[in-house]
Amino acid sequence: EIIRLNPRPGGQIDDSYDEQAQQIIPDFLLEEKDGELIMSMPKFSVPELKVNRRYAELLMSSSSNTKAGREAASFVKQKLDSAKWFIEALKQRQNTLQNTMNAIIDFQRDYFMDGDETKLKPMVLKNIAEKTGLDISTISRVVNCKYIQTHFEIYPLKHFFSEGLMTEGGGE
């Protein structure tokens, strides 16, 4: 009887199991309180990034007349500019995400209040692009692989966009 048993019962589970069992962590949380929809972005609630003040002080003190001092000052200035650009890019990304999600919530407000699928309006990327003033390709990148947790379920943002509408005759 022992010979008929599988000596490696866990060997039947392959690597694709890990991909199937990934946990979804929503990018946006939407709560309904007293008839108001409140959206938050928990993944992006990181402390504000700042450039260390010592580097700016180092830049001022290294700007001497020696070649090494000028090279050091140039290096520090380049890195400071790069850090400031990175911080601004992160802020802009967060604003883009927030504005896009707010536009989706505004467009589908009736649906988000109670989760009734019949209240889901047909919506395409162009609708949100017009509301936010962003390009359609930007909206597409924002909603790709992003999730929202509502008070009734977790959805991918792509769920709210229509690929086509059915006509009365059954066509698309």
Side-chain angles (χ1 to χ4, degrees):
E1 187 159 328
I2 292 176
I3 290 174
R4 289 185 295 163
L5 295 176
N6 183 351
R8 292 182 296 273
Q12 297 171 346
I13 301 173
D14 61 2
D15 291 337
S16 65
Y17 175 78
D18 291 337
E19 294 170 11
Q20 295 170 4
Q22 286 185 345
Q23 182 179 6
I24 295 173
I25 300 172
D27 302 276
F28 305 97
L29 291 176
L30 185 65
E31 298 174 300
E32 188 265 329
K33 290 185 182 174
D34 302 326
E36 285 291 316
L37 293 172
I38 301 165
M39 191 267 299
S40 61
M41 298 170 42
K43 279 177 111 177
F44 303 100
S45 60
V46 294
E48 185 179 345
L49 297 176
K50 297 178 185 174
V51 176
N52 192 327
R53 189 173 284 142
R54 283 189 1 196
Y55 291 110
E57 292 168 1
L58 181 63
L59 179 63
M60 296 303 176
S61 66
S62 355
S63 56
S64 66
N65 294 333
T66 66
K67 182 178 178 183
R70 287 191 302 269
E71 286 177 2
S74 173
F75 177 80
V76 171
K77 182 177 181 347
Q78 178 186 3
K79 297 304 177 189
L80 277 172
D81 291 343
S82 180
K84 287 176 184 175
W85 176 87
F86 182 72
I87 291 169
E88 282 303 311
L90 285 176
K91 285 180 183 176
Q92 184 176 357
R93 179 177 186 269
Q94 187 169 357
N95 287 338
T96 300
L97 289 169
Q98 190 168 9
N99 292 340
T100 302
M101 193 64 234
N102 284 333
I104 292 170
I105 291 168
D106 188 45
F107 198 93
Q108 301 289 2
R109 182 165 299 283
D110 295 337
Y111 169 73
F112 284 121
M113 291 304 287
D114 58 12
D116 183 2
E117 293 266 340
T118 61
K119 295 181 179 178
L120 200 56
K121 298 178 193 171
M123 179 175 75
V124 292
L125 295 173
K126 184 178 180 185
N127 298 129
I128 302 304
E130 289 171 354
K131 273 185 165 279
T132 59
L134 299 169
D135 193 67
I136 293 174
S137 64
T138 303
I139 301 300
S140 176
R141 286 191 307 273
V142 166
V143 301
N144 192 30
C145 299
K146 301 278 188 306
Y147 293 85
I148 182 169
Q149 178 179 331
T150 64
H151 49 281
F152 41 88
E153 197 170 333
I154 294 178
Y155 293 103
L157 290 187
K158 286 187 173 185
H159 170 78
F160 304 109
F161 291 92
S162 310
E163 293 184 16
L165 299 175
M166 297 296 282
T167 63
E168 289 180 14
E172 203 170 284

